[in-house]
Amino acid sequence: MSGFNDRVGTPLASAKQSSQFPVRWRILDAAERIAALIWPRSLYPYTGYLLLVPALLLVFVLVIGLVYIGGYSLHELDLSNYRLKESFSLTNYYTAFTSATYRTVLLRSIYASLLVTVITIFLAFPYAYLMVRARRAMTRKFLLISLFLPFFIGQIVRAYGWLIILGKEGLLNNIIGFFGFSPLKLIYNYPAVILGLVQYMLPFGVLLLAPAITAISRDVELASESLGAHWCRTFIHIVLPLAKPGLVGSSVVIFTLTLTDFAMPEILGGGTTDFIANSIYDGFFQLSNSGLGAALSMILVTLGTAFVVVIFSIAGTGTLGFSKGAE
Amino acid sequence: MSGSRSKATVLWAIVWFDLILLSLPTIIIFGASFTTGDIVQFPPEGFSLKWYSKLWLLDDFKAAFFRTFYVSLICTAVSIPAGTLAAIALSRYRIRFYTGLQVYLLLPFTIPLVVSGLGMMIFFGEIRILGQLWPVGIGLCIINLPFMIWAVSASVNGLDDQLENAAANCGAPPLQAFLTVTLPGVMPGVITGALLMFILAFNEFLVSLFLTDARIVTLPVSIYNSIRSVITPDLAAVSAVYIIIAFIAVLLLDKLVGLELFLKSK
């Protein structure tokens, strides 16, 4: 025997040698061998699809739910036993479209969504612009934190904040009373719901506008202004058109989130300003008519999808795309 | 900033209005929670932490708080692998039906929350898991999954793919290249996404309303159930807890990845 050095390459030697490797390497090597066993090289072209499987399965739960709701919507409520009839019919859709109540709710939701979208973008654009263009890092940080804090506080808590401020025995009415005036009805009405929704949507608007504004070169603006354009003109003719991906992304998100909102109309509207989501909820849990609720759900899905599809096909996905991003 | 004085004046006027709008409810809730009186009123009565100490003695509140925490943890734990892998797949691999898949993965955003919630309530009821706590976490993960994919895919796109090729060239087997090059490279996106998922789940109301019942009620739902026309400071204290958690999350996000990340153009 002339020592181990001569015998490099024999199983014994390599075992001896590998045991001197750090534990981490050996674990990694083992994991690598297991991985190669489960997912051999011949399957490599499909690795991308394998990585997508968990996400696809999770989202599939929503598809199943949608199929159930679609099924429910095709059965009429049997008033004798409060169950859905076995037979298929379009009665629920007929009821939803012909009832004056639901037409009012539908139009109110759409109108409110347009209003909230316009107001929010008008308020969000200067915010995003100043935040992106801020010279001082401190200013930018301040604006970012003021934006993220309410963003991370949910709808319920924020609606409750508005209740404290606007409620019948709320802060504003307290102040008014303090000065000897009779209390005002500031809550459970349309403006309160719009206010709550605009406040809720503002962070979404700013965060979807900001990347698009970042992409606009300062030089373009400077060029326009040095050629004598008033800043308003520069804003309207240069900045706004170049921010299109952000405008598309933010308006799609704000519109659809408002259209489908439940909490703000419920808490700040107090039954006076129901949106479609509130009618769906009532259909299921107050009227116990899951068929009608399901039909309203399908109408809401169709409406929201149609809006998104139309905007995307006209203007692209804007800042909403996953990876290839802005146009 | 370029441009005239009037530009700065007009823009800052709107932004100050925004700032007041954004922070008013937060400030008021905070103020209301410190009152000594039994109702919230102006001018406020004294200053005390009595509603906070009462809160801590309330078993219902504590139970709801820990349930919400548990649900948010499940949501985050599931979304990290699912979202990260999906984001890597979408931006690093050649995928057929790319557009279709992207539309499919955006379904949690395009299907209204009320419909997603009802659908999951019906489906979870059919497979007999409704009424348990973990499916709530899964449900919240599903409806917010696109946030996770977004966050990570921004990181993946910022990562030079030659790095992975270089690792492979130097002899790194696929798993090792993934664990030592790709994963650390996309970590800022994973952290951002995970924090977002946690905080969104912690706040989520509507889907939780459908998936919980009186036995397993979570905090947002229990706040909603207790909102009455009379405004009491104990609810303000619960809400203030939310504000504190949101503040911690914002600071954490700023410390770990920097809030400026959200201003980057894609």
Side-chain angles (χ1 to χ4, degrees):
Chain A
M1 285 275 253
S2 48
F4 281 116
N5 284 346
D6 305 343
R7 302 174 62 171
V8 171
T10 65
L12 179 65
S14 72
K16 175 84 180 170
Q17 213 166 39
S18 81
S19 72
Q20 286 157 356
F21 290 140
V23 182
R24 211 173 79 92
W25 292 16
R26 277 184 282 157
I27 293 175
L28 254 178
D29 278 350
E32 210 73 60
R33 271 196 293 275
I34 294 169
L37 215 64
I38 302 171
W39 198 253
R41 189 165 278 275
S42 57
L43 288 174
Y44 277 10
Y46 307 102
T47 307
Y49 301 97
L50 176 76
L51 300 181
L52 278 171
V53 166
L56 295 179
L57 283 179
L58 282 171
V59 176
F60 194 64
V61 171
L62 292 186
V63 178
I64 298 173
L66 207 56
V67 169
Y68 270 112
I69 292 179
Y72 277 28
S73 74
L74 294 172
H75 297 282
E76 192 189 342
L77 184 73
D78 191 340
L79 284 171
S80 62
N81 57 7
Y82 265 87
R83 283 164 179 243
L84 295 182
K85 287 176 183 167
E86 288 288 318
S87 59
F88 289 93
S89 75
L90 288 172
T91 322
N92 292 319
Y93 289 94
Y94 182 78
T95 315
F97 279 119
T98 52
S99 141
T101 321
Y102 290 133
R103 196 176 316 133
T104 313
V105 169
L106 202 70
L107 289 177
R108 181 192 290 139
S109 313
I110 295 173
Y111 179 67
S113 309
L114 286 173
L115 194 64
V116 170
T117 308
V118 172
I119 299 175
T120 310
I121 289 190
F122 173 78
L123 292 175
F125 204 94
Y127 200 106
Y129 182 83
L130 288 185
M131 193 161 70
V132 169
R133 291 279 192 260
R135 277 219 202 96
R136 284 191 306 168
M138 276 292 286
T139 314
R140 185 175 301 124
K141 190 71 91 191
F142 170 70
L143 290 175
L144 273 167
I145 290 177
S146 310
L147 191 72
F148 268 90
L149 192 60
F151 186 53
F152 280 0
I153 300 169
Q155 232 183 339
I156 294 297
V157 173
R158 283 199 259 169
Y160 180 66
W162 288 119
L163 270 189
I164 298 184
I165 298 168
L166 303 173
K168 194 163 153 249
E169 289 163 44
L171 213 67
L172 268 180
N173 270 327
N174 255 306
I175 296 174
I176 293 171
F178 188 69
F179 291 109
F181 297 100
S182 57
L184 299 169
K185 197 173 182 312
L186 300 167
I187 209 132
Y188 302 147
N189 54 28
Y190 192 73
V193 176
I194 299 293
L195 175 75
L197 282 168
V198 167
Q199 202 259 3
Y200 179 62
M201 298 302 165
L202 204 49
F204 288 100
V206 175
L207 286 177
L208 284 160
L209 281 169
I213 295 178
T214 306
I216 303 172
S217 159
R218 275 168 213 252
D219 298 341
V220 188
E221 278 177 73
L222 278 175
S224 163
E225 281 175 12
S226 69
L227 289 172
H230 188 251
W231 70 267
C232 286
R233 280 190 65 149
T234 309
F235 230 79
I236 293 166
H237 293 290
I238 308 288
V239 183
L240 275 183
L242 285 175
K244 197 181 97 180
L247 291 171
V248 172
S250 55
S251 50
V252 164
V253 166
I254 297 168
F255 185 89
T256 47
L257 285 182
T258 308
L259 186 70
T260 60
D261 197 59
F262 173 86
M264 288 297 170
E266 188 75 17
I267 297 172
L268 296 178
T272 62
T273 319
D274 279 0
F275 282 15
I276 311 175
N278 308 84
S279 293
I280 293 172
Y281 185 87
D282 288 348
F284 269 87
F285 299 105
Q286 308 270 292
L287 308 173
S288 301
N289 190 343
S290 46
L292 184 61
L296 288 170
S297 303
M298 295 312 281
I299 293 170
L300 182 58
V301 171
T302 315
L303 211 66
T305 312
F307 176 80
V308 174
V309 167
V310 167
I311 295 292
F312 280 2
S313 58
I314 294 173
T317 55
T319 42
L320 272 182
F322 273 133
S323 48
K324 306 310 194 250
E327 300 152 277
Chain B
M1 195 173 47
S2 57
S4 62
R5 236 191 145 79
S6 66
K7 174 182 182 181
T9 315
V10 171
L11 293 185
W12 273 110
I14 300 177
V15 169
W16 274 110
F17 178 79
D18 288 347
L19 284 168
I20 293 169
L21 191 69
L22 284 171
S23 40
L24 199 61
T26 320
I27 293 167
I28 296 298
I29 287 174
F30 228 66
S33 68
F34 291 122
T35 184
T36 49
D38 287 339
I39 55 163
V40 178
Q41 57 175 4
F42 177 86
E45 258 184 272
F47 177 92
S48 78
L49 291 174
K50 93 171 187 197
W51 294 105
Y52 288 92
S53 58
K54 278 202 173 158
L55 211 59
W56 194 242
L57 297 174
L58 226 60
D59 286 336
D60 281 354
F61 164 76
K62 259 195 287 187
F65 182 86
F66 287 121
R67 274 196 290 267
T68 314
F69 199 83
Y70 174 72
V71 161
S72 309
L73 274 184
I74 290 184
C75 164
T76 314
V78 175
S79 66
I80 290 176
T84 306
L85 296 179
I88 290 173
L90 283 177
S91 19
R92 273 289 188 268
Y93 290 85
R94 285 176 67 92
I95 302 277
R96 292 181 61 182
F97 314 112
Y98 177 81
T99 317
L101 278 172
Q102 185 157 325
V103 171
Y104 176 87
L105 288 174
L106 275 171
L107 277 181
F109 281 1
T110 46
I111 299 178
L113 277 185
V114 61
V115 180
S116 303
L118 280 166
M120 287 194 281
M121 182 188 80
I122 297 169
F123 176 54
F124 288 173
E126 293 285 336
I127 59 172
R128 307 247 172 269
I129 55 171
L130 192 67
Q132 286 170 272
L133 210 48
W134 66 266
V136 183
I138 305 285
L140 298 185
C141 167
I142 294 170
I143 57 160
N144 288 322
L145 194 61
F147 279 116
M148 188 75 205
I149 303 180
W150 257 337
V152 182
S153 53
S155 274
V156 181
N157 287 328
L159 186 71
D160 189 348
D161 59 358
Q162 293 307 321
L163 287 177
E164 282 140 317
N165 289 342
N169 245 345
C170 295
L175 198 63
Q176 195 181 350
F178 177 80
L179 290 176
T180 56
V181 178
T182 315
L183 210 52
V186 302
M187 213 27 115
V190 176
I191 293 171
T192 312
L195 246 165
L196 272 179
M197 294 302 285
F198 185 87
I199 206 77
L200 289 172
F202 208 79
N203 278 294
E204 211 290 326
F205 159 66
L206 188 53
V207 170
S208 315
L209 180 68
F210 291 122
L211 298 183
T212 59
D213 54 41
R215 291 176 302 108
I216 57 161
V217 69
T218 53
L219 212 45
V221 181
S222 96
I223 295 179
Y224 170 75
N225 287 336
S226 351
I227 289 181
R228 302 269 177 279
S229 54
V230 181
I231 296 151
T232 53
D234 56 343
L235 214 50
V238 180
S239 305
V241 171
Y242 261 105
I243 296 171
I244 294 164
I245 288 171
F247 197 67
I248 294 171
V250 171
L251 291 185
L252 216 60
L253 191 60
D254 192 36
K255 196 107 204 134
L256 291 174
V257 295
L259 294 174
E260 286 79 4
L261 187 77
F262 291 86
L263 302 180
K264 273 209 311 216
S265 80
K266 290 189 186 176

